[in-house]
Amino acid sequence: MLPRAVRSVVQRCASSRHIPLASFVTSACLHAARVKKVSSDEDRVNYNDDYSFSDAPDPEHAKYKFVTANDLERERHPPRRVKMLVRDFIEDSLYNPHYGYFSKQATIFTAVEPLNFNSIKNMTAFEAEVAERYASYGVDGDGPGKQIWHTPTELFKPWYGRALAQCLVSEYLLKYFPYEDFVIYEIGAGNGTLALDMLDYIREEYPDVYDRTRYNIIEISENLANLQRQKLQSTHPCVTVHNKSIFRWDVREPAPCYFVAMEVIDNFAHDIVRYDLRTLEPYQGVITIDAKGDFSTYYTKITDPLISSFISLRQYLAHPPPISRLLKLSSTFRTFYTNLPFAPNLSPPEFVPTRLLTLLRTLRQHFPRHRLLLSDFSSLPDTIPGVNAPVVQTRYQNTTVPCTTLLVKQGYFDIFFPTDFEKLRDMYEHVLAQPRPLTDSELLEPRPTPLSTIASPLAEGNSFFSSYHPKNRRPPVDGITSSSGLPVGERKSAVYSHSEFMKTYADLGKTRLRSGENPLLDTYENVKFLF
């Protein structure tokens, strides 16, 4: 039988067997105590983590230099005697150019030849075939093993990529062809397989659309960016690879475009928020690294603007924090509860998707006429403790080992999160509905006249003369005339299960086994689409 880690490919989890990782897991100094009163020039910290009380933290930690992941990009070794927000610790662990997980450890599983699904007997035989291909990567030696992971793009090529292409082409033909180019942006394109499969399909089935296609890849990894150029640009000259982070994107795309993010946001960094159970005041998590490389987690009042804006957005959208209803309603009960022996003074740690909020704002600012196609995990097993907590895992001697803490040696562990797609949809639609901040050049544009045919960015949009606002439509983009002539904007995004999406756009006959089973539909039950 195929190991669980491979059989449940979309979950990227492993058996619960724990193997000693003394060489790779830095000890986590997890302390618990009441809020310590310190002078005004020190951090005010709350360091309750595991609900039991022990030693107070080292006061020296409050004096450590506060750094970000951007500050550490030039470091060739993990830093010491520093402190940072949780999202910066995660970003440094995953993306540091010199020791980050994706820079040095991760290997994307690539099938040399596509599977012939129609010749495979049943799911058992399918699992055995995938296991055999995994085995071709060889046996791990001492130390961390090959960090092999793969996507449905690689496992079901070319049919997965063709399904996504059919989805986008259908929308493009309905709304923009032949008056606008077919512009696609993809982030985190991996080996470039998805782009290749999509472009091959478009060139084969829709040559007129292919002639108007511009495919842009935004890739943070220099190695993967070079690989994508080698794989794609000679075959498809319409491909442009931008080697930079999406969070540093600064070019506005005025044309209608499609933004593709397949299994990308699960590796977006999160912050930790906990609530004082007496006052319900939120606290932000801060990770410190001492002179020996050991970690500690402390909690301070929220000062980070991104965390603060996420909390405000959540309140506006009526997404409740993970606190029991009784505690929220009764201050008397909160006082009684927190005075119980060994009662925690903070709520359980909650991982909040602050970097995901940054992505949504980037789309609103630089891609005002985009349509987002996004897919990722909606749930995960073997997560560490906490609300919306990630899976932290590595491979050791050909076995994938899940961990129970985030505080592990930078660069050796994958850290990936589930996504609440319904809350993501609410956040996304709200962000898109906000006025786009004007650039300096736009502020200097001449004022519109009564003869102007296009509304100014400050206008109320194309719905000014109409009271018709369907609930499933966004407000029109300011300054953009509706191609249909209707005073309504783009259709709002909806959430689909993996199976629902593939039944709509995939050629399911190509991935059906001889038994009638279809792994393209049955394997990815914990994955959803936003489109």
Side-chain angles (χ1 to χ4, degrees):
M1 286 292 292
L2 187 63
R4 177 172 169 234
V6 178
R7 184 171 67 250
S8 186
V9 290
V10 74
Q11 296 174 345
R12 291 198 297 181
C13 65
S15 65
S16 59
R17 177 185 178 193
H18 290 263
I19 298 176
L21 296 174
S23 301
F24 317 116
V25 184
T26 305
S27 62
C29 302
L30 307 178
H31 303 288
R34 298 291 178 183
V35 177
K36 181 184 177 183
K37 294 182 179 180
V38 294
S39 59
S40 58
D41 60 339
E42 294 180 321
D43 286 340
R44 186 176 299 277
V45 299
N46 184 310
Y47 34 88
N48 179 333
D49 190 276
D50 57 3
Y51 308 136
S52 63
F53 298 101
S54 57
D55 297 335
D58 188 342
E60 179 189 3
H61 289 198
K63 302 178 182 179
Y64 287 166
K65 179 182 178 181
F66 205 101
V67 298
T68 67
N70 292 339
D71 297 331
L72 299 175
E73 285 183 346
R74 296 184 179 180
E75 298 292 332
R76 294 190 173 273
H77 303 284
R80 304 286 178 91
R81 297 178 60 83
V82 296
K83 58 185 175 183
M84 65 191 82
L85 292 172
V86 173
R87 71 169 181 267
D88 289 300
F89 176 78
I90 294 173
E91 285 186 351
D92 183 57
S93 298
L94 294 178
Y95 301 111
N96 185 282
H98 303 290
Y99 53 79
Y101 176 82
F102 287 106
S103 303
K104 298 300 180 184
Q105 299 294 332
T107 300
I108 300 176
F109 172 86
T110 304
V112 178
E113 293 295 333
L115 291 169
N116 184 355
F117 295 93
N118 298 151
S119 67
I120 298 175
K121 181 178 179 180
N122 52 30
M123 285 296 292
T124 301
F126 166 74
E127 294 168 357
E129 177 69 23
V130 176
E132 182 178 344
R133 298 194 178 205
Y134 258 83
S136 66
Y137 279 85
V139 179
D140 292 336
D142 295 333
K146 302 180 185 69
Q147 304 300 304
I148 303 172
W149 53 276
H150 70 271
T151 66
T153 297
E154 297 288 349
L155 188 62
F156 292 103
K157 71 178 185 182
W159 314 115
Y160 183 85
R162 288 179 168 235
L164 302 188
Q166 182 60 55
C167 170
L168 299 185
V169 170
S170 298
E171 287 279 313
Y172 170 71
L173 290 174
L174 181 65
K175 293 168 24 180
Y176 300 119
F177 180 80
Y179 304 106
E180 300 276 3
D181 283 346
F182 187 32
V183 183
I184 301 173
Y185 285 83
E186 182 186 2
I187 57 171
N191 285 340
T193 301
L194 178 63
L196 181 64
D197 291 343
M198 291 177 65
L199 290 170
D200 285 348
Y201 177 74
I202 297 169
R203 182 172 58 185
E204 175 185 332
E205 298 294 333
Y206 301 95
D208 292 340
V209 173
Y210 182 80
D211 290 341
R212 305 211 59 163
T213 298
R214 291 190 283 126
Y215 201 106
N216 300 273
I217 294 175
I218 303 174
E219 176 58 61
I220 190 173
S221 167
E222 182 178 0
N223 292 336
L224 288 178
N226 292 332
L227 177 61
Q228 292 156 8
R229 294 187 184 102
Q230 297 171 7
K231 188 172 188 176
L232 295 168
Q233 290 182 332
S234 60
T235 306
H236 297 287
C238 61
V239 173
T240 302
V241 180
H242 308 269
N243 181 203
K244 66 189 307 181
S245 168
I246 182 59
F247 302 121
R248 294 179 176 175
W249 190 260
D250 56 1
V251 179
R252 184 167 182 258
E253 174 58 77
C257 61
Y258 296 90
F259 203 90
V260 179
M262 297 291 109
E263 288 196 38
V264 174
I265 64 170
D266 60 310
N267 286 120
F268 276 10
H270 288 49
D271 278 289
I272 291 181
V273 170
R274 300 179 74 179
Y275 288 82
D276 186 326
L277 293 182
R278 282 195 175 91
T279 65
L280 298 187
E281 181 181 9
Y283 283 72
Q284 64 189 18
V286 176
I287 293 177
T288 65
I289 309 175
D290 67 14
K292 297 180 180 179
D294 289 338
F295 304 114
S296 296
T297 304
Y298 304 133
Y299 294 89
T300 72
K301 290 185 177 182
I302 291 180
T303 58
D304 178 66
L306 184 56
I307 299 177
S308 179
S309 61
F310 178 87
I311 297 296
S312 298
L313 175 58
R314 177 161 71 179
Q315 292 174 344
Y316 178 85
L317 296 174
H319 294 166
I323 303 173
S324 73
R325 185 170 176 270
L326 189 58
L327 286 174
K328 287 188 288 186
L329 291 177
S330 173
S331 60
T332 302
F333 184 81
R334 290 199 299 270
T335 301
F336 170 77
Y337 177 76
T338 53
N339 283 328
L340 291 174
F342 305 107
N345 53 337
L346 290 180
S347 65
E350 179 193 10
F351 292 83
V352 296
T354 42
R355 272 302 181 212
L356 181 55
L357 177 57
T358 303
L359 173 68
L360 302 185
R361 290 175 169 176
T362 299
L363 295 177
R364 177 69 183 93
Q365 172 69 11
H366 297 297
F367 305 89
R369 301 180 67 189
H370 78 277
R371 183 73 189 275
L372 176 62
L373 175 59
L374 181 150
S375 179
D376 226 303
F377 305 110
S378 58
S379 63
L380 289 168
D382 295 333
T383 59
I384 65 174
V387 179
N388 194 42
V391 173
V392 182
Q393 67 180 31
T394 191
R395 276 175 60 89
Y396 182 77
Q397 296 182 356
N398 292 89
T399 301
T400 305
V401 183
C403 303
T404 58
T405 176
L406 179 69
L407 304 181
V408 291
K409 185 173 177 63
Q410 300 96 314
Y412 288 97
F413 296 80
D414 194 5
I415 303 169
F416 55 103
F417 294 83
T419 297
D420 187 322
F421 271 75
E422 285 68 26
K423 291 182 179 178
L424 167 60
R425 177 195 57 206
D426 294 346
M427 290 172 51
Y428 176 59
E429 294 298 336
H430 175 78
V431 169
L432 289 191
Q434 303 310 300
R436 184 177 62 83
L438 298 180
T439 63
D440 292 339
S441 61
E442 289 172 325
L443 290 172
L444 295 176
E445 289 179 357
R447 294 177 61 85
T449 71
L451 301 179
S452 299
T453 58
I454 298 179
S456 77
L458 297 178
E460 292 190 43
N462 297 312
S463 61
F464 180 79
F465 296 104
S466 174
S467 61
Y468 176 59
H469 298 285
K471 292 183 179 180
N472 66 339
R473 296 277 173 169
R474 301 178 190 137
V477 176
D478 290 341
I480 303 299
T481 303
S482 172
S483 59
S484 66
L486 298 176
V488 293
E490 294 282 341
R491 178 171 62 85
K492 288 186 177 180
S493 294
V495 176
Y496 305 92
S497 69
H498 186 274
S499 178
E500 289 172 339
F501 187 90
M502 288 300 157
K503 285 178 180 177
T504 303
Y505 296 107
D507 185 351
L508 297 179
K510 300 296 186 181
T511 56
R512 186 173 293 116
L513 308 182
R514 284 159 48 195
S515 63
E517 299 169 289
N518 199 318
L520 182 60
L521 301 179
D522 301 335
T523 310
Y524 295 93
E525 295 180 355
N526 66 332
V527 167
K528 290 184 178 180
F529 278 83
L530 180 74
F531 183 64

